[in-house]
Each structure stands twice: as C-alpha cells, then as structure tokens.
Amino acid sequence: MPKWTILFTTLLITALIAAGCRAASIPAPTATDQPTDQPCPEAETLGYQVEELERRNAELQAWADQLAAGYGPGVWYFNPDGTAYPVFDHAASDPTLEGVASELNELLADEVAPQIILDGVEGKAVRVQVTDDAALTQRLGSAGAQAYLQVVLYSLTSLPEIDCVDFDFQEGDHAQPGLYCR
C-alpha cells in the first residue's frame, strides 16, 4: 500500500474519531458551563486506539513490502477485483529496467492504455513519460488513472535499484505528474 494512502487513512481515522467524540460527548454549551482541560473524556482511550491502528498499519506495511520484494523483478498488473492496487502478474524474463518496461508495455498495449517511455535514471528514481497524456489524465477516470500509476510504479520498483518513479506528463483532471515512491 502506498505510504501516502496509509498517511491519508490515518489522518482520516483520527479526524473522524475526534469529530465523533466532540459530537457524541459534548452537549451544547450553556451560560453556566465552565471550560474543562479534557473536552472529550474518551480522548485518552481513543488516542490509544489511534496509536494501535498506526502500529498495526506500520506492521502491515512492513509485511506487504517484504511480500512484494519476495516476488523479485517482474510485472505487476491491474487487479481483477477493480481496486487501484496492482497484483503480481509474472516474473520478468529480462530482469532489467528496460526488460520490465518492455513486458509491461506489451500488456498495456493489449488494454489500449498509454505506453511508458523510460527517460533516464537519477539515483534510485526512474523518469517516465507516457505516450498519451490525455488518455491517462482525462479518459481513464480517477480510478483508472490511479490504477495505471500503481501498475507502473510497482512494476518498475520491483527492481532493487529503483525506489521511485518520476512521472512526466501533462497534468489533467484524473492524474498528476511527479515523484511516486513505493
């Protein structure tokens, strides 16, 4: 699971818990109410629950990273259940950056999805362009664009020398260029 998704989920859970605590336990103020140091009596318990969720999330992230690394260099592809998270499709016959990109492009061509163009490596990040910016950013929809970016990211970062993909395309409604890391 991408780190930004984990962070977003954690922040969302925290905000929902805080909002629910305020709404459920704080009656409307009256003229005789005195301010308290603890506006939500359940805050300590809820804080522990958030900490526990964060701990379990970190534990699952470490497990997922270890699991993904166990597959080795290969092609990750669209998940048949429709989520944005790709699944391992096959080990690369040519476990190089060019080999993985070529095998991924073959599958993308079958889907009539934009091809990727390798545009250099800087450190542990590979720069990638796409053959059809508008298809990615306008015609795939938000879920399709997210799934596409994840497929490229997971495939290229399956190589031990690559940690991030720097996407270079014209920004649109459903996808933004930039550095994505697994």
PDB file of all heavy atoms in Angstrom, residues 37-77:
ATOM      1  N   ASP A  37     -10.264  20.984  31.064  1.00  0.00           N
ATOM      2  CA  ASP A  37      -8.985  20.653  30.447  1.00  0.00           C
ATOM      3  C   ASP A  37      -9.142  19.511  29.448  1.00  0.00           C
ATOM      4  O   ASP A  37      -8.367  19.379  28.528  1.00  0.00           O
ATOM      5  CB  ASP A  37      -7.958  20.239  31.509  1.00  0.00           C
ATOM      6  CG  ASP A  37      -7.572  21.410  32.392  1.00  0.00           C
ATOM      7  OD1 ASP A  37      -7.700  22.573  31.926  1.00  0.00           O
ATOM      8  OD2 ASP A  37      -7.146  21.178  33.533  1.00  0.00           O
ATOM      9  N   GLN A  38     -10.119  18.659  29.648  1.00  0.00           N
ATOM     10  CA  GLN A  38     -10.338  17.484  28.813  1.00  0.00           C
ATOM     11  C   GLN A  38     -11.713  17.612  28.167  1.00  0.00           C
ATOM     12  O   GLN A  38     -12.708  17.177  28.744  1.00  0.00           O
ATOM     13  CB  GLN A  38     -10.250  16.217  29.684  1.00  0.00           C
ATOM     14  CG  GLN A  38     -10.392  14.932  28.937  1.00  0.00           C
ATOM     15  CD  GLN A  38      -9.084  14.529  28.284  1.00  0.00           C
ATOM     16  OE1 GLN A  38      -8.055  15.152  28.464  1.00  0.00           O
ATOM     17  NE2 GLN A  38      -9.120  13.488  27.502  1.00  0.00           N
ATOM     18  N   PRO A  39     -11.804  18.191  26.943  1.00  0.00           N
ATOM     19  CA  PRO A  39     -13.121  18.375  26.330  1.00  0.00           C
ATOM     20  C   PRO A  39     -13.796  17.069  25.937  1.00  0.00           C
ATOM     21  O   PRO A  39     -14.989  17.024  25.758  1.00  0.00           O
ATOM     22  CB  PRO A  39     -12.824  19.224  25.096  1.00  0.00           C
ATOM     23  CG  PRO A  39     -11.392  18.971  24.794  1.00  0.00           C
ATOM     24  CD  PRO A  39     -10.732  18.675  26.111  1.00  0.00           C
ATOM     25  N   CYS A  40     -13.042  16.008  25.835  1.00  0.00           N
ATOM     26  CA  CYS A  40     -13.605  14.726  25.439  1.00  0.00           C
ATOM     27  C   CYS A  40     -13.081  13.655  26.392  1.00  0.00           C
ATOM     28  O   CYS A  40     -11.921  13.254  26.309  1.00  0.00           O
ATOM     29  CB  CYS A  40     -13.195  14.407  24.004  1.00  0.00           C
ATOM     30  SG  CYS A  40     -13.838  12.842  23.407  1.00  0.00           S
ATOM     31  N   PRO A  41     -13.907  13.185  27.318  1.00  0.00           N
ATOM     32  CA  PRO A  41     -13.428  12.207  28.301  1.00  0.00           C
ATOM     33  C   PRO A  41     -12.871  10.930  27.669  1.00  0.00           C
ATOM     34  O   PRO A  41     -12.019  10.282  28.238  1.00  0.00           O
ATOM     35  CB  PRO A  41     -14.682  11.882  29.132  1.00  0.00           C
ATOM     36  CG  PRO A  41     -15.653  12.968  28.843  1.00  0.00           C
ATOM     37  CD  PRO A  41     -15.303  13.534  27.511  1.00  0.00           C
ATOM     38  N   GLU A  42     -13.332  10.586  26.476  1.00  0.00           N
ATOM     39  CA  GLU A  42     -12.872   9.373  25.815  1.00  0.00           C
ATOM     40  C   GLU A  42     -11.584   9.580  25.035  1.00  0.00           C
ATOM     41  O   GLU A  42     -11.069   8.659  24.408  1.00  0.00           O
ATOM     42  CB  GLU A  42     -13.946   8.836  24.851  1.00  0.00           C
ATOM     43  CG  GLU A  42     -15.222   8.380  25.529  1.00  0.00           C
ATOM     44  CD  GLU A  42     -16.188   9.541  25.755  1.00  0.00           C
ATOM     45  OE1 GLU A  42     -15.952  10.644  25.236  1.00  0.00           O
ATOM     46  OE2 GLU A  42     -17.170   9.358  26.475  1.00  0.00           O
ATOM     47  N   ALA A  43     -11.025  10.777  25.056  1.00  0.00           N
ATOM     48  CA  ALA A  43      -9.855  11.092  24.227  1.00  0.00           C
ATOM     49  C   ALA A  43      -8.680  10.174  24.522  1.00  0.00           C
ATOM     50  O   ALA A  43      -7.980   9.735  23.606  1.00  0.00           O
ATOM     51  CB  ALA A  43      -9.448  12.550  24.406  1.00  0.00           C
ATOM     52  N   GLU A  44      -8.438   9.868  25.783  1.00  0.00           N
ATOM     53  CA  GLU A  44      -7.307   9.006  26.119  1.00  0.00           C
ATOM     54  C   GLU A  44      -7.487   7.613  25.519  1.00  0.00           C
ATOM     55  O   GLU A  44      -6.575   7.070  24.900  1.00  0.00           O
ATOM     56  CB  GLU A  44      -7.145   8.906  27.640  1.00  0.00           C
ATOM     57  CG  GLU A  44      -5.873   8.210  28.050  1.00  0.00           C
ATOM     58  CD  GLU A  44      -5.652   8.268  29.556  1.00  0.00           C
ATOM     59  OE1 GLU A  44      -5.907   9.308  30.160  1.00  0.00           O
ATOM     60  OE2 GLU A  44      -5.224   7.241  30.098  1.00  0.00           O
ATOM     61  N   THR A  45      -8.675   7.049  25.641  1.00  0.00           N
ATOM     62  CA  THR A  45      -8.951   5.738  25.068  1.00  0.00           C
ATOM     63  C   THR A  45      -8.879   5.794  23.546  1.00  0.00           C
ATOM     64  O   THR A  45      -8.279   4.932  22.911  1.00  0.00           O
ATOM     65  CB  THR A  45     -10.354   5.240  25.498  1.00  0.00           C
ATOM     66  OG1 THR A  45     -10.389   5.190  26.920  1.00  0.00           O
ATOM     67  CG2 THR A  45     -10.658   3.882  24.912  1.00  0.00           C
ATOM     68  N   LEU A  46      -9.472   6.837  22.974  1.00  0.00           N
ATOM     69  CA  LEU A  46      -9.452   6.969  21.523  1.00  0.00           C
ATOM     70  C   LEU A  46      -8.020   7.186  21.024  1.00  0.00           C
ATOM     71  O   LEU A  46      -7.646   6.664  19.976  1.00  0.00           O
ATOM     72  CB  LEU A  46     -10.356   8.109  21.073  1.00  0.00           C
ATOM     73  CG  LEU A  46     -11.852   7.893  21.312  1.00  0.00           C
ATOM     74  CD1 LEU A  46     -12.634   9.152  20.974  1.00  0.00           C
ATOM     75  CD2 LEU A  46     -12.361   6.715  20.514  1.00  0.00           C
ATOM     76  N   GLY A  47      -7.234   7.942  21.777  1.00  0.00           N
ATOM     77  CA  GLY A  47      -5.831   8.147  21.403  1.00  0.00           C
ATOM     78  C   GLY A  47      -5.083   6.830  21.353  1.00  0.00           C
ATOM     79  O   GLY A  47      -4.305   6.577  20.431  1.00  0.00           O
ATOM     80  N   TYR A  48      -5.337   5.963  22.326  1.00  0.00           N
ATOM     81  CA  TYR A  48      -4.696   4.647  22.334  1.00  0.00           C
ATOM     82  C   TYR A  48      -5.143   3.851  21.111  1.00  0.00           C
ATOM     83  O   TYR A  48      -4.338   3.179  20.478  1.00  0.00           O
ATOM     84  CB  TYR A  48      -5.033   3.873  23.612  1.00  0.00           C
ATOM     85  CG  TYR A  48      -4.617   2.434  23.537  1.00  0.00           C
ATOM     86  CD1 TYR A  48      -3.280   2.079  23.683  1.00  0.00           C
ATOM     87  CD2 TYR A  48      -5.541   1.433  23.271  1.00  0.00           C
ATOM     88  CE1 TYR A  48      -2.873   0.768  23.575  1.00  0.00           C
ATOM     89  CE2 TYR A  48      -5.148   0.112  23.161  1.00  0.00           C
ATOM     90  CZ  TYR A  48      -3.818  -0.214  23.315  1.00  0.00           C
ATOM     91  OH  TYR A  48      -3.418  -1.524  23.202  1.00  0.00           O
ATOM     92  N   GLN A  49      -6.424   3.911  20.777  1.00  0.00           N
ATOM     93  CA  GLN A  49      -6.923   3.171  19.623  1.00  0.00           C
ATOM     94  C   GLN A  49      -6.268   3.657  18.338  1.00  0.00           C
ATOM     95  O   GLN A  49      -5.924   2.854  17.465  1.00  0.00           O
ATOM     96  CB  GLN A  49      -8.444   3.285  19.543  1.00  0.00           C
ATOM     97  CG  GLN A  49      -9.151   2.527  20.649  1.00  0.00           C
ATOM     98  CD  GLN A  49     -10.648   2.791  20.685  1.00  0.00           C
ATOM     99  OE1 GLN A  49     -11.148   3.690  20.025  1.00  0.00           O
ATOM    100  NE2 GLN A  49     -11.356   2.001  21.489  1.00  0.00           N
ATOM    101  N   VAL A  50      -6.079   4.966  18.210  1.00  0.00           N
ATOM    102  CA  VAL A  50      -5.407   5.510  17.031  1.00  0.00           C
ATOM    103  C   VAL A  50      -3.964   5.022  16.991  1.00  0.00           C
ATOM    104  O   VAL A  50      -3.463   4.600  15.946  1.00  0.00           O
ATOM    105  CB  VAL A  50      -5.484   7.056  17.007  1.00  0.00           C
ATOM    106  CG1 VAL A  50      -4.555   7.636  15.953  1.00  0.00           C
ATOM    107  CG2 VAL A  50      -6.913   7.513  16.774  1.00  0.00           C
ATOM    108  N   GLU A  51      -3.277   5.063  18.131  1.00  0.00           N
ATOM    109  CA  GLU A  51      -1.894   4.573  18.196  1.00  0.00           C
ATOM    110  C   GLU A  51      -1.824   3.096  17.810  1.00  0.00           C
ATOM    111  O   GLU A  51      -0.905   2.680  17.100  1.00  0.00           O
ATOM    112  CB  GLU A  51      -1.316   4.783  19.593  1.00  0.00           C
ATOM    113  CG  GLU A  51      -1.031   6.230  19.924  1.00  0.00           C
ATOM    114  CD  GLU A  51      -0.629   6.423  21.378  1.00  0.00           C
ATOM    115  OE1 GLU A  51      -0.416   5.423  22.114  1.00  0.00           O
ATOM    116  OE2 GLU A  51      -0.546   7.595  21.789  1.00  0.00           O
ATOM    117  N   GLU A  52      -2.781   2.318  18.268  1.00  0.00           N
ATOM    118  CA  GLU A  52      -2.807   0.888  17.940  1.00  0.00           C
ATOM    119  C   GLU A  52      -3.038   0.692  16.437  1.00  0.00           C
ATOM    120  O   GLU A  52      -2.399  -0.154  15.807  1.00  0.00           O
ATOM    121  CB  GLU A  52      -3.892   0.170  18.746  1.00  0.00           C
ATOM    122  CG  GLU A  52      -4.014  -1.309  18.466  1.00  0.00           C
ATOM    123  CD  GLU A  52      -2.766  -2.129  18.805  1.00  0.00           C
ATOM    124  OE1 GLU A  52      -1.867  -1.647  19.503  1.00  0.00           O
ATOM    125  OE2 GLU A  52      -2.702  -3.278  18.330  1.00  0.00           O
ATOM    126  N   LEU A  53      -3.946   1.470  15.848  1.00  0.00           N
ATOM    127  CA  LEU A  53      -4.180   1.387  14.407  1.00  0.00           C
ATOM    128  C   LEU A  53      -2.927   1.781  13.628  1.00  0.00           C
ATOM    129  O   LEU A  53      -2.584   1.143  12.632  1.00  0.00           O
ATOM    130  CB  LEU A  53      -5.350   2.285  13.997  1.00  0.00           C
ATOM    131  CG  LEU A  53      -6.738   1.793  14.386  1.00  0.00           C
ATOM    132  CD1 LEU A  53      -7.775   2.877  14.105  1.00  0.00           C
ATOM    133  CD2 LEU A  53      -7.090   0.515  13.642  1.00  0.00           C
ATOM    134  N   GLU A  54      -2.234   2.812  14.079  1.00  0.00           N
ATOM    135  CA  GLU A  54      -0.997   3.229  13.412  1.00  0.00           C
ATOM    136  C   GLU A  54       0.067   2.143  13.519  1.00  0.00           C
ATOM    137  O   GLU A  54       0.785   1.879  12.563  1.00  0.00           O
ATOM    138  CB  GLU A  54      -0.491   4.542  14.011  1.00  0.00           C
ATOM    139  CG  GLU A  54      -1.352   5.729  13.634  1.00  0.00           C
ATOM    140  CD  GLU A  54      -1.010   6.988  14.406  1.00  0.00           C
ATOM    141  OE1 GLU A  54      -0.331   6.895  15.467  1.00  0.00           O
ATOM    142  OE2 GLU A  54      -1.435   8.069  13.961  1.00  0.00           O
ATOM    143  N   ARG A  55       0.183   1.504  14.682  1.00  0.00           N
ATOM    144  CA  ARG A  55       1.153   0.431  14.881  1.00  0.00           C
ATOM    145  C   ARG A  55       0.842  -0.742  13.954  1.00  0.00           C
ATOM    146  O   ARG A  55       1.715  -1.266  13.269  1.00  0.00           O
ATOM    147  CB  ARG A  55       1.166  -0.042  16.341  1.00  0.00           C
ATOM    148  CG  ARG A  55       2.244  -1.105  16.633  1.00  0.00           C
ATOM    149  CD  ARG A  55       2.016  -1.814  17.960  1.00  0.00           C
ATOM    150  NE  ARG A  55       0.804  -2.609  17.994  1.00  0.00           N
ATOM    151  CZ  ARG A  55       0.637  -3.780  17.379  1.00  0.00           C
ATOM    152  NH1 ARG A  55       1.593  -4.305  16.667  1.00  0.00           N
ATOM    153  NH2 ARG A  55      -0.503  -4.452  17.477  1.00  0.00           N
ATOM    154  N   ARG A  56      -0.422  -1.140  13.907  1.00  0.00           N
ATOM    155  CA  ARG A  56      -0.822  -2.259  13.052  1.00  0.00           C
ATOM    156  C   ARG A  56      -0.641  -1.910  11.574  1.00  0.00           C
ATOM    157  O   ARG A  56      -0.240  -2.751  10.774  1.00  0.00           O
ATOM    158  CB  ARG A  56      -2.270  -2.666  13.326  1.00  0.00           C
ATOM    159  CG  ARG A  56      -2.404  -3.230  14.752  1.00  0.00           C
ATOM    160  CD  ARG A  56      -3.569  -4.110  14.974  1.00  0.00           C
ATOM    161  NE  ARG A  56      -3.481  -5.291  14.128  1.00  0.00           N
ATOM    162  CZ  ARG A  56      -4.549  -5.887  13.606  1.00  0.00           C
ATOM    163  NH1 ARG A  56      -5.740  -5.430  13.858  1.00  0.00           N
ATOM    164  NH2 ARG A  56      -4.416  -6.951  12.867  1.00  0.00           N
ATOM    165  N   ASN A  57      -0.909  -0.658  11.219  1.00  0.00           N
ATOM    166  CA  ASN A  57      -0.731  -0.210   9.847  1.00  0.00           C
ATOM    167  C   ASN A  57       0.747  -0.306   9.452  1.00  0.00           C
ATOM    168  O   ASN A  57       1.072  -0.776   8.366  1.00  0.00           O
ATOM    169  CB  ASN A  57      -1.247   1.222   9.710  1.00  0.00           C
ATOM    170  CG  ASN A  57      -1.568   1.591   8.292  1.00  0.00           C
ATOM    171  OD1 ASN A  57      -1.564   0.748   7.409  1.00  0.00           O
ATOM    172  ND2 ASN A  57      -1.838   2.856   8.070  1.00  0.00           N
ATOM    173  N   ALA A  58       1.641   0.131  10.333  1.00  0.00           N
ATOM    174  CA  ALA A  58       3.079   0.045  10.067  1.00  0.00           C
ATOM    175  C   ALA A  58       3.511  -1.419   9.949  1.00  0.00           C
ATOM    176  O   ALA A  58       4.335  -1.766   9.092  1.00  0.00           O
ATOM    177  CB  ALA A  58       3.866   0.753  11.160  1.00  0.00           C
ATOM    178  N   GLU A  59       2.962  -2.259  10.796  1.00  0.00           N
ATOM    179  CA  GLU A  59       3.274  -3.691  10.761  1.00  0.00           C
ATOM    180  C   GLU A  59       2.824  -4.310   9.435  1.00  0.00           C
ATOM    181  O   GLU A  59       3.575  -5.069   8.802  1.00  0.00           O
ATOM    182  CB  GLU A  59       2.553  -4.371  11.934  1.00  0.00           C
ATOM    183  CG  GLU A  59       2.884  -5.796  12.175  1.00  0.00           C
ATOM    184  CD  GLU A  59       2.142  -6.315  13.399  1.00  0.00           C
ATOM    185  OE1 GLU A  59       2.659  -6.149  14.517  1.00  0.00           O
ATOM    186  OE2 GLU A  59       1.035  -6.871  13.217  1.00  0.00           O
ATOM    187  N   LEU A  60       1.619  -3.978   8.996  1.00  0.00           N
ATOM    188  CA  LEU A  60       1.118  -4.485   7.717  1.00  0.00           C
ATOM    189  C   LEU A  60       1.925  -3.943   6.546  1.00  0.00           C
ATOM    190  O   LEU A  60       2.170  -4.655   5.570  1.00  0.00           O
ATOM    191  CB  LEU A  60      -0.358  -4.124   7.539  1.00  0.00           C
ATOM    192  CG  LEU A  60      -1.334  -4.953   8.366  1.00  0.00           C
ATOM    193  CD1 LEU A  60      -2.738  -4.370   8.276  1.00  0.00           C
ATOM    194  CD2 LEU A  60      -1.324  -6.403   7.922  1.00  0.00           C
ATOM    195  N   GLN A  61       2.354  -2.677   6.630  1.00  0.00           N
ATOM    196  CA  GLN A  61       3.161  -2.095   5.564  1.00  0.00           C
ATOM    197  C   GLN A  61       4.491  -2.832   5.442  1.00  0.00           C
ATOM    198  O   GLN A  61       4.930  -3.145   4.342  1.00  0.00           O
ATOM    199  CB  GLN A  61       3.405  -0.600   5.811  1.00  0.00           C
ATOM    200  CG  GLN A  61       4.211   0.059   4.714  1.00  0.00           C
ATOM    201  CD  GLN A  61       3.516   0.041   3.373  1.00  0.00           C
ATOM    202  OE1 GLN A  61       2.349   0.369   3.278  1.00  0.00           O
ATOM    203  NE2 GLN A  61       4.238  -0.331   2.329  1.00  0.00           N
ATOM    204  N   ALA A  62       5.119  -3.122   6.571  1.00  0.00           N
ATOM    205  CA  ALA A  62       6.391  -3.857   6.550  1.00  0.00           C
ATOM    206  C   ALA A  62       6.183  -5.252   5.955  1.00  0.00           C
ATOM    207  O   ALA A  62       7.002  -5.729   5.155  1.00  0.00           O
ATOM    208  CB  ALA A  62       6.977  -3.944   7.959  1.00  0.00           C
ATOM    209  N   TRP A  63       5.096  -5.910   6.331  1.00  0.00           N
ATOM    210  CA  TRP A  63       4.791  -7.235   5.797  1.00  0.00           C
ATOM    211  C   TRP A  63       4.550  -7.160   4.288  1.00  0.00           C
ATOM    212  O   TRP A  63       5.061  -7.981   3.523  1.00  0.00           O
ATOM    213  CB  TRP A  63       3.563  -7.811   6.502  1.00  0.00           C
ATOM    214  CG  TRP A  63       3.078  -9.086   5.892  1.00  0.00           C
ATOM    215  CD1 TRP A  63       3.606 -10.335   6.052  1.00  0.00           C
ATOM    216  CD2 TRP A  63       1.968  -9.234   5.005  1.00  0.00           C
ATOM    217  NE1 TRP A  63       2.889 -11.243   5.316  1.00  0.00           N
ATOM    218  CE2 TRP A  63       1.884 -10.607   4.674  1.00  0.00           C
ATOM    219  CE3 TRP A  63       1.042  -8.354   4.479  1.00  0.00           C
ATOM    220  CZ2 TRP A  63       0.898 -11.086   3.824  1.00  0.00           C
ATOM    221  CZ3 TRP A  63       0.069  -8.840   3.635  1.00  0.00           C
ATOM    222  CH2 TRP A  63      -0.003 -10.194   3.317  1.00  0.00           C
ATOM    223  N   ALA A  64       3.765  -6.160   3.837  1.00  0.00           N
ATOM    224  CA  ALA A  64       3.470  -6.018   2.406  1.00  0.00           C
ATOM    225  C   ALA A  64       4.749  -5.743   1.613  1.00  0.00           C
ATOM    226  O   ALA A  64       4.938  -6.296   0.523  1.00  0.00           O
ATOM    227  CB  ALA A  64       2.454  -4.896   2.191  1.00  0.00           C
ATOM    228  N   ASP A  65       5.632  -4.909   2.163  1.00  0.00           N
ATOM    229  CA  ASP A  65       6.902  -4.624   1.481  1.00  0.00           C
ATOM    230  C   ASP A  65       7.740  -5.897   1.352  1.00  0.00           C
ATOM    231  O   ASP A  65       8.331  -6.153   0.303  1.00  0.00           O
ATOM    232  CB  ASP A  65       7.695  -3.554   2.234  1.00  0.00           C
ATOM    233  CG  ASP A  65       7.067  -2.175   2.119  1.00  0.00           C
ATOM    234  OD1 ASP A  65       6.208  -1.964   1.245  1.00  0.00           O
ATOM    235  OD2 ASP A  65       7.457  -1.301   2.938  1.00  0.00           O
ATOM    236  N   GLN A  66       7.792  -6.673   2.416  1.00  0.00           N
ATOM    237  CA  GLN A  66       8.559  -7.921   2.394  1.00  0.00           C
ATOM    238  C   GLN A  66       7.941  -8.905   1.400  1.00  0.00           C
ATOM    239  O   GLN A  66       8.654  -9.569   0.639  1.00  0.00           O
ATOM    240  CB  GLN A  66       8.605  -8.529   3.793  1.00  0.00           C
ATOM    241  CG  GLN A  66       9.461  -9.763   3.893  1.00  0.00           C
ATOM    242  CD  GLN A  66       9.486 -10.319   5.312  1.00  0.00           C
ATOM    243  OE1 GLN A  66       8.669  -9.972   6.157  1.00  0.00           O
ATOM    244  NE2 GLN A  66      10.425 -11.199   5.576  1.00  0.00           N
ATOM    245  N   LEU A  67       6.643  -8.992   1.385  1.00  0.00           N
ATOM    246  CA  LEU A  67       5.951  -9.882   0.465  1.00  0.00           C
ATOM    247  C   LEU A  67       6.218  -9.476  -0.983  1.00  0.00           C
ATOM    248  O   LEU A  67       6.566 -10.312  -1.825  1.00  0.00           O
ATOM    249  CB  LEU A  67       4.443  -9.858   0.747  1.00  0.00           C
ATOM    250  CG  LEU A  67       3.563 -10.763  -0.103  1.00  0.00           C
ATOM    251  CD1 LEU A  67       3.883 -12.228   0.167  1.00  0.00           C
ATOM    252  CD2 LEU A  67       2.100 -10.470   0.174  1.00  0.00           C
ATOM    253  N   ALA A  68       6.075  -8.177  -1.287  1.00  0.00           N
ATOM    254  CA  ALA A  68       6.301  -7.693  -2.648  1.00  0.00           C
ATOM    255  C   ALA A  68       7.740  -7.929  -3.081  1.00  0.00           C
ATOM    256  O   ALA A  68       7.999  -8.333  -4.222  1.00  0.00           O
ATOM    257  CB  ALA A  68       5.943  -6.213  -2.752  1.00  0.00           C
ATOM    258  N   ALA A  69       8.692  -7.704  -2.189  1.00  0.00           N
ATOM    259  CA  ALA A  69      10.110  -7.906  -2.523  1.00  0.00           C
ATOM    260  C   ALA A  69      10.386  -9.379  -2.831  1.00  0.00           C
ATOM    261  O   ALA A  69      11.267  -9.692  -3.647  1.00  0.00           O
ATOM    262  CB  ALA A  69      10.993  -7.416  -1.391  1.00  0.00           C
ATOM    263  N   GLY A  70       9.645 -10.280  -2.220  1.00  0.00           N
ATOM    264  CA  GLY A  70       9.843 -11.709  -2.436  1.00  0.00           C
ATOM    265  C   GLY A  70       9.548 -12.163  -3.860  1.00  0.00           C
ATOM    266  O   GLY A  70      10.056 -13.190  -4.306  1.00  0.00           O
ATOM    267  N   TYR A  71       8.745 -11.413  -4.576  1.00  0.00           N
ATOM    268  CA  TYR A  71       8.451 -11.767  -5.962  1.00  0.00           C
ATOM    269  C   TYR A  71       9.624 -11.467  -6.884  1.00  0.00           C
ATOM    270  O   TYR A  71       9.747 -12.061  -7.938  1.00  0.00           O
ATOM    271  CB  TYR A  71       7.220 -11.008  -6.472  1.00  0.00           C
ATOM    272  CG  TYR A  71       5.918 -11.519  -5.920  1.00  0.00           C
ATOM    273  CD1 TYR A  71       5.145 -10.745  -5.073  1.00  0.00           C
ATOM    274  CD2 TYR A  71       5.444 -12.774  -6.268  1.00  0.00           C
ATOM    275  CE1 TYR A  71       3.933 -11.199  -4.578  1.00  0.00           C
ATOM    276  CE2 TYR A  71       4.233 -13.244  -5.781  1.00  0.00           C
ATOM    277  CZ  TYR A  71       3.484 -12.440  -4.930  1.00  0.00           C
ATOM    278  OH  TYR A  71       2.298 -12.900  -4.448  1.00  0.00           O
ATOM    279  N   GLY A  72      10.449 -10.507  -6.517  1.00  0.00           N
ATOM    280  CA  GLY A  72      11.577 -10.127  -7.359  1.00  0.00           C
ATOM    281  C   GLY A  72      11.134  -9.273  -8.523  1.00  0.00           C
ATOM    282  O   GLY A  72       9.966  -8.868  -8.625  1.00  0.00           O
ATOM    283  N   PRO A  73      12.060  -8.983  -9.446  1.00  0.00           N
ATOM    284  CA  PRO A  73      11.721  -8.141 -10.588  1.00  0.00           C
ATOM    285  C   PRO A  73      10.627  -8.781 -11.446  1.00  0.00           C
ATOM    286  O   PRO A  73      10.707  -9.954 -11.795  1.00  0.00           O
ATOM    287  CB  PRO A  73      13.037  -8.054 -11.374  1.00  0.00           C
ATOM    288  CG  PRO A  73      14.093  -8.354 -10.369  1.00  0.00           C
ATOM    289  CD  PRO A  73      13.481  -9.330  -9.415  1.00  0.00           C
ATOM    290  N   GLY A  74       9.622  -7.996 -11.725  1.00  0.00           N
ATOM    291  CA  GLY A  74       8.531  -8.533 -12.521  1.00  0.00           C
ATOM    292  C   GLY A  74       7.508  -7.492 -12.886  1.00  0.00           C
ATOM    293  O   GLY A  74       7.666  -6.305 -12.601  1.00  0.00           O
ATOM    294  N   VAL A  75       6.456  -7.951 -13.496  1.00  0.00           N
ATOM    295  CA  VAL A  75       5.383  -7.077 -13.952  1.00  0.00           C
ATOM    296  C   VAL A  75       4.197  -7.222 -13.006  1.00  0.00           C
ATOM    297  O   VAL A  75       3.724  -8.326 -12.751  1.00  0.00           O
ATOM    298  CB  VAL A  75       4.971  -7.425 -15.400  1.00  0.00           C
ATOM    299  CG1 VAL A  75       3.775  -6.599 -15.839  1.00  0.00           C
ATOM    300  CG2 VAL A  75       6.150  -7.220 -16.343  1.00  0.00           C
ATOM    301  N   TRP A  76       3.765  -6.091 -12.489  1.00  0.00           N
ATOM    302  CA  TRP A  76       2.553  -6.011 -11.679  1.00  0.00           C
ATOM    303  C   TRP A  76       1.485  -5.447 -12.600  1.00  0.00           C
ATOM    304  O   TRP A  76       1.756  -4.594 -13.437  1.00  0.00           O
ATOM    305  CB  TRP A  76       2.787  -5.099 -10.478  1.00  0.00           C
ATOM    306  CG  TRP A  76       3.735  -5.696  -9.481  1.00  0.00           C
ATOM    307  CD1 TRP A  76       5.078  -5.878  -9.635  1.00  0.00           C
ATOM    308  CD2 TRP A  76       3.407  -6.206  -8.204  1.00  0.00           C
ATOM    309  NE1 TRP A  76       5.608  -6.465  -8.513  1.00  0.00           N
ATOM    310  CE2 TRP A  76       4.608  -6.671  -7.613  1.00  0.00           C
ATOM    311  CE3 TRP A  76       2.227  -6.306  -7.473  1.00  0.00           C
ATOM    312  CZ2 TRP A  76       4.646  -7.229  -6.341  1.00  0.00           C
ATOM    313  CZ3 TRP A  76       2.269  -6.851  -6.208  1.00  0.00           C
ATOM    314  CH2 TRP A  76       3.462  -7.319  -5.653  1.00  0.00           C
ATOM    315  N   TYR A  77       0.255  -5.950 -12.457  1.00  0.00           N
ATOM    316  CA  TYR A  77      -0.760  -5.529 -13.402  1.00  0.00           C
ATOM    317  C   TYR A  77      -2.082  -5.251 -12.701  1.00  0.00           C
ATOM    318  O   TYR A  77      -2.254  -5.537 -11.519  1.00  0.00           O
ATOM    319  CB  TYR A  77      -0.920  -6.583 -14.509  1.00  0.00           C
ATOM    320  CG  TYR A  77      -1.390  -5.978 -15.794  1.00  0.00           C
ATOM    321  CD1 TYR A  77      -0.648  -5.004 -16.440  1.00  0.00           C
ATOM    322  CD2 TYR A  77      -2.598  -6.343 -16.347  1.00  0.00           C
ATOM    323  CE1 TYR A  77      -1.090  -4.416 -17.603  1.00  0.00           C
ATOM    324  CE2 TYR A  77      -3.048  -5.763 -17.519  1.00  0.00           C
ATOM    325  CZ  TYR A  77      -2.285  -4.798 -18.140  1.00  0.00           C
ATOM    326  OH  TYR A  77      -2.734  -4.208 -19.291  1.00  0.00           O
TER     327      TYR A  77
END
